[in-house]
Amino acid sequence: MIDLSQYLPILLFVLVAFGLSVLFVVAPMAVSRLTGTHNPDAEKLSEYECGFPAFEDARSQFDVRFYLVAISFIVFDLEAAFLFPWAVSLDVTGWTGWGGMMVFLFILAVGLAYEWKKGALDWE
């Protein structure tokens, strides 16, 4: 005979997670529908993230600077992700770790200066 009472904490966790997801996701949408704030129009349904219609031909061309800005964002986001663990472990890594991070930051600074000089960050 299997003792199912050991699974009670897992079941409780799943029920709490489901309740919180309903509270934070479904409840605001339901309140919005009930109070009348859900009123879509052409302006609200227009593109706001990428700047071009998302439901056109997938092979349409658009400016390559979009990719350059996106790649720059990813690079500097990763830089921020690397700086925190580096700062925490600096007492262990010592001068070798400090020098390695300075080389890393120098390479990123040269890349940013190159993008800036080429005008990749200028938006029309």
Side-chain angles (χ1 to χ4, degrees), residues 40-63:
D41 59 2
E43 185 67 26
K44 285 183 182 178
L45 296 176
S46 66
E47 301 82 19
Y48 57 90
E49 286 184 353
C50 55
F52 59 91
F55 299 106
E56 288 185 358
D57 184 22
R59 294 178 184 92
S60 64
Q61 294 181 356
F62 57 96
D63 201 355

Side-chain angles (χ1 to χ4, degrees), residues 55-121:
F55 299 106
E56 288 185 358
D57 184 22
R59 294 178 184 92
S60 64
Q61 294 181 356
F62 57 96
D63 201 355
V64 73
R65 286 181 289 185
F66 173 76
Y67 290 119
L68 293 175
V69 171
I71 289 171
S72 298
F73 172 76
I74 290 171
V75 165
F76 287 103
D77 189 40
L78 287 175
E79 174 194 5
F82 284 141
L83 279 176
F84 181 73
W86 168 77
V88 170
S89 65
L90 189 58
D91 58 341
V92 177
T93 59
W95 286 104
T96 305
W98 187 84
M101 185 55 75
M102 292 304 115
V103 169
F104 176 68
L105 291 176
F106 177 74
I107 291 170
L108 287 178
V110 167
L112 179 63
Y114 177 76
E115 277 187 345
W116 199 341
K117 181 180 174 275
K118 289 293 185 179
L121 302 177

